Amino acid sequence: MKKNVLLAMMALMLSVTASAQFYPDGRPIHPSKRAAYYGQTRYSVLGDTYAGLRFGLSVGTVNSDSPYLDGNKARAGVNAGIAVGTRLTPTIPLYLESGLYYTQKGGKSESHGEKFSYNLDYLELPIVFKYKAPLGGGVTVEPFLGGFVACGVAGKIKDYQYREAYSSFSDDYRDNFNRFDGGLRVGCGLAFDRLYLEAAYDIGLANVGKDAFDDTHTGCFNLTLGVNF
């Protein structure tokens, strides 16, 4: 008798366990989809990886102690690249995102009859921590904070007074820019299904001017539209 009761209790426990496993949200999971479900929700610490294409507008500035490099007007350009992200924890929607971008920064200066423009084109590598807060209906708000490093690959400095133009990163001139930059990146994105919209600001912390006695820093606002895969 006791043996029969024990067997009945064990059968009941197995039945409850199976029900909990295959009805986790109150709905049955088809046997063909159970492995995928548990791979996404329990056993994958770095799940939910994604990649995306980005294209948008950049608005750059240059702030400097040097009167030849300081820009009192912004310069508009383009910002395009790819983004790759991966989830860091299964319990919190926190992601690590990086990528590679071609970003046009720079600035303009016009004072005391002198006019300059600075085109600074970079290959930029951002690394940010992003939190994806779901709002429902496939919409997420995604604030992020991190940093970036950049390498100048092209650009011109134009001196309109003397009708001269020369490379922004050339070693032949003192009044131009170092090739490498880096700093902080802060912003927020909004995603709807695969579509993505982002506003970000790069705060340059490196002294990009060649004169060590004058601090020169870049800044750039980016408004980007993209799609995630």
Side-chain angles (χ1 to χ4, degrees), residues 3-68:
K3 183 177 180 179
N4 292 335
V5 172
L6 181 60
L7 289 174
M9 293 178 62
M10 290 178 62
L12 180 61
M13 291 174 63
L14 289 174
S15 175
V16 172
T17 302
S19 176
Q21 287 179 341
F22 302 133
Y23 289 76
D25 300 316
R27 295 172 296 177
I29 299 176
H30 192 275
S32 63
K33 298 182 179 180
R34 290 170 187 170
Y37 175 86
Y38 286 109
Q40 293 176 0
T41 58
R42 289 189 181 181
Y43 302 127
S44 178
V45 176
L46 296 177
D48 294 339
T49 59
Y50 62 89
L53 301 177
R54 305 284 186 264
F55 183 82
L57 172 71
S58 62
V59 181
T61 57
V62 175
N63 297 306
S64 177
D65 296 333
S66 169
Y68 297 102

Side-chain angles (χ1 to χ4, degrees), residues 14-153:
L14 289 174
S15 175
V16 172
T17 302
S19 176
Q21 287 179 341
F22 302 133
Y23 289 76
D25 300 316
R27 295 172 296 177
I29 299 176
H30 192 275
S32 63
K33 298 182 179 180
R34 290 170 187 170
Y37 175 86
Y38 286 109
Q40 293 176 0
T41 58
R42 289 189 181 181
Y43 302 127
S44 178
V45 176
L46 296 177
D48 294 339
T49 59
Y50 62 89
L53 301 177
R54 305 284 186 264
F55 183 82
L57 172 71
S58 62
V59 181
T61 57
V62 175
N63 297 306
S64 177
D65 296 333
S66 169
Y68 297 102
L69 299 183
D70 187 53
N72 51 29
K73 294 183 178 180
R75 182 219 175 204
V78 299
N79 177 33
I82 59 173
V84 179
T86 187
R87 188 166 181 167
L88 296 178
T89 168
T91 57
I92 301 174
L94 181 66
Y95 291 74
L96 180 66
E97 182 178 294
S98 186
L100 186 64
Y101 292 81
Y102 186 87
T103 305
Q104 294 182 323
K105 300 183 180 182
K108 300 178 181 179
S109 176
E110 187 174 358
S111 63
H112 304 293
E114 296 184 357
K115 183 179 178 181
F116 294 87
S117 67
Y118 319 99
N119 299 337
L120 306 175
D121 297 353
Y122 291 96
L123 280 180
E124 188 168 289
L125 178 71
I127 301 176
V128 300
F129 292 97
K130 174 178 287 188
Y131 183 85
K132 296 190 176 188
L135 298 182
V139 179
T140 57
V141 175
E142 305 180 2
F144 57 86
L145 176 65
F148 73 93
V149 292
C151 177
V153 294

Side-chain angles (χ1 to χ4, degrees), residues 181-192:
D181 193 12
L184 299 176
R185 166 169 285 202
V186 60
C188 187
L190 180 67
F192 176 72

Side-chain angles (χ1 to χ4, degrees), residues 76 79 166 178 215:
N79 177 33
Y166 49 94
N178 292 319
D215 285 336

